[in-house]
Amino acid sequence: MNQDFIKYQAQTSPYPLGMEVSHAIGSYIYDTNNKKYLDFVAGVSACTLGHQHPRVNQAIKDQLDKYSHVMVYGEYSQSPAVEYCKLMASLLPAPLDKTYLVNSGTEAIEGSLKLAKRATGRSQLISCHNAYHGNTMGSMSVMGFEERKQAFRPLLPDIDFITFNNEEDLLKITTKTAGVLLETIQGGAGFIEPFNDYLKKVRQRCTDVGALMILDEIQPGFGRTGKLFGFQNYDVVPDIVAMGKGMGGGMPVGAFTASAAMMDLLTENPKLGHITTFGGHPVIASACLATLQEIIETDIMKEALAKEKLFRTLLVHPLIQEIRGKGLMLAAMTKSANITNEVILRCQEKGLILFWLLFEGCAIRITPPLTISEEEIREGCAIMIEVMNEVALIKENH
């Protein structure tokens, strides 16, 4: 491992994987020894179209030749951002027609929470146990995992938590609630899907008490579940949708979308209700526009569901108890965190990149680029089965 990486770059854990990256293209990442790794993680769901996608790269280069940052967000009309927001409005159900561009998913959550408070005049926010929505102070406040929060308290007041898919908990949503924030599919908790019309019941409860429904699409969004956004699988429309990760084709970006009437509340009382210097950056917006156009003009959303079936067909092994998730947002659940760790680390040695989920130690993250081929899926799954056979043998001998 590059010791300067450890010495000079702030780390997030005592044990980074430490691969020294040389280059990446398509579904593969190459290290500085020119060993190639099949990427089943896609930058944690961010590289929707794989690495070095020609359409995205060309859009970035073309915009760089025109202009880069010229003014803080919202003052000048810059065509990449305008075109992107217009296209987004055409693809989302009414009344979701106005988009605020920011720099990351956690900023999209921050803006969504502020908008909910501004629109309702209320202070209470409700999220879910084991939810993850980002790591800034507001987003951390609605994280449903105390172990990660306690060192940073005090956080935002007036937060309550409900259990995902628990209908009895919906009574906690009252006329004091500004917004209810849910991941459409719970990510860090283990790729847990809503069932029994749960999201529709949350929607109805929010409508009944005048609270806003905010859906976090940062992981499910941009075709990963077979629809442009995950909530479109469940016949529900939120008041605010937050997005990030996959929207930029690997570039750093986030956004939140609501009705024009609601979003316009951020322009007065007070003015500058939400501001950002680099949100809507023209180079990033160009990458977003190219990514979105590629998603909607090709069959990759539909293909995500066929690829899901292939993963489920190939990943049959005694160590896998179930495969959770939808489309190419999948988690293979093993019997223990130790097995999961062993499989992920051994697969990397054999040239396959897998990763963990934040809170569910038994889960193996499988979130490849949507552009991954059937042949590449077969290649990666064969490595996983080979490794699981090795791990199972070690367990038997111990």
Side-chain angles (χ1 to χ4, degrees):
M1 188 184 300
N2 185 338
Q3 291 308 305
D4 286 349
F5 169 60
I6 300 296
K7 185 174 181 180
Y8 297 110
Q9 187 173 342
Q11 303 296 310
T12 56
S13 79
Y15 33 80
L17 292 173
M19 183 201 299
E20 294 187 49
V21 178
S22 165
H23 59 287
I25 188 163
S27 301
Y28 292 91
I29 299 173
Y30 294 78
D31 69 16
T32 50
N33 295 316
N34 209 37
K35 179 179 177 179
K36 75 174 185 177
Y37 300 81
L38 179 56
D39 185 2
F40 268 18
V41 177
V44 189
S45 305
C47 300
T48 305
L49 303 178
H51 304 285
Q52 303 291 332
H53 191 278
R55 186 169 185 170
V56 177
N57 275 17
Q58 193 61 53
I60 291 168
K61 292 171 183 175
D62 289 347
Q63 183 57 42
L64 278 171
D65 287 338
K66 296 174 184 176
Y67 61 91
S68 184
H69 178 68
V70 291
M71 177 53 71
V72 296
Y73 178 84
E75 294 296 331
Y76 290 177
S77 175
Q78 301 175 59
S79 62
V82 174
E83 287 183 46
Y84 184 78
C85 293
K86 183 178 179 180
L87 180 57
M88 184 62 70
S90 74
L91 297 169
L92 283 168
L96 300 169
D97 59 3
K98 203 160 195 177
T99 295
Y100 197 121
L101 296 167
V102 291
N103 305 286
S104 65
T106 193
E107 289 178 66
I109 295 296
E110 296 284 348
S112 299
L113 298 179
K114 288 171 67 178
L115 183 56
K117 289 187 173 186
R118 174 67 181 83
T120 63
R122 303 173 183 177
S123 62
Q124 187 193 50
L125 297 167
I126 291 178
S127 181
C128 280
H129 297 292
N130 293 325
Y132 179 77
H133 299 288
N135 230 37
T136 48
M137 295 299 274
S139 300
M140 186 180 289
S141 300
V142 289
M143 182 198 300
F145 199 77
E146 183 60 28
E147 180 184 322
R148 299 278 175 89
K149 302 196 305 187
Q150 57 191 7
F152 306 104
R153 288 193 175 279
L155 298 169
L156 288 183
D158 210 2
I159 307 285
D160 202 356
F161 291 90
I162 59 178
T163 299
F164 198 73
N165 281 325
N166 184 324
E167 295 178 24
E168 292 180 8
D169 275 4
L170 299 187
L171 295 177
K172 290 186 175 183
I173 305 168
T174 70
T175 52
K176 295 180 180 179
T177 307
V180 180
L181 172 63
L182 305 175
E183 298 160 276
T184 304
I185 297 174
Q186 279 206 302
F191 287 8
I192 299 170
E193 288 189 80
F195 59 77
N196 194 26
D197 285 335
Y198 176 69
L199 292 183
K200 291 174 78 170
K201 290 168 183 173
V202 175
R203 169 73 278 175
Q204 187 59 53
R205 180 64 179 174
C206 287
T207 301
D208 289 346
V209 301
L212 299 186
M213 183 183 192
I214 309 166
L215 286 182
D216 177 342
E217 285 279 345
I218 293 166
Q219 288 203 68
F222 297 92
R224 191 155 287 280
T225 67
K227 301 280 191 182
L228 187 58
F229 290 101
F231 70 80
Q232 294 171 314
N233 291 295
Y234 304 108
D235 192 27
V236 67
V237 179
D239 297 293
I240 306 171
V241 57
M243 60 195 84
K245 284 192 185 294
M247 71 183 284
M251 301 297 277
V253 69
F256 57 107
T257 302
S259 68
M262 193 182 304
M263 198 66 83
D264 288 347
L265 295 173
L266 294 175
T267 66
E268 56 186 342
N269 299 319
K271 291 180 182 177
L272 308 179
H274 195 69
I275 55 175
T276 169
T277 298
F278 290 114
H281 190 286
V283 177
I284 304 295
S286 295
C288 291
L289 183 59
T291 300
L292 184 55
Q293 288 170 334
E294 184 72 11
I295 290 170
I296 64 173
E297 292 171 10
T298 65
D299 290 329
I300 62 173
M301 284 193 283
K302 183 171 67 176
E303 290 169 359
L305 298 178
K307 291 170 183 176
E308 174 194 351
K309 289 180 182 175
L310 183 57
F311 271 111
R312 291 184 181 277
T313 300
L314 296 173
L315 290 179
V316 177
H317 193 277
L319 293 186
I320 297 177
Q321 295 189 305
E322 63 172 316
I323 296 177
R324 295 181 186 166
K326 189 174 185 66
L328 291 178
M329 182 178 175
L330 301 174
M333 309 299 295
T334 74
K335 296 177 181 178
S336 73
N338 287 337
I339 292 173
T340 288
N341 288 339
E342 194 71 21
V343 169
I344 291 172
L345 295 173
R346 283 174 175 260
C347 279
Q348 176 156 320
E349 290 174 7
K350 292 179 183 289
L352 175 67
I353 297 172
L354 300 166
F355 209 59
W356 297 265
L357 298 185
L358 279 174
F359 309 138
E360 174 51 82
C362 295
I364 301 171
R365 171 188 282 274
I366 303 171
T367 56
L370 303 192
T371 49
I372 194 167
S373 69
E374 180 178 316
E375 182 182 353
E376 289 164 344
I377 292 171
R378 291 184 184 279
E379 176 190 343
C381 289
I383 295 172
M384 288 184 70
I385 296 299
E386 177 188 345
V387 165
M388 287 182 188
N389 286 337
E390 292 175 3
V391 172
L393 191 61
I394 291 168
K395 280 191 69 190
E396 273 181 37
N397 294 334
H398 283 80

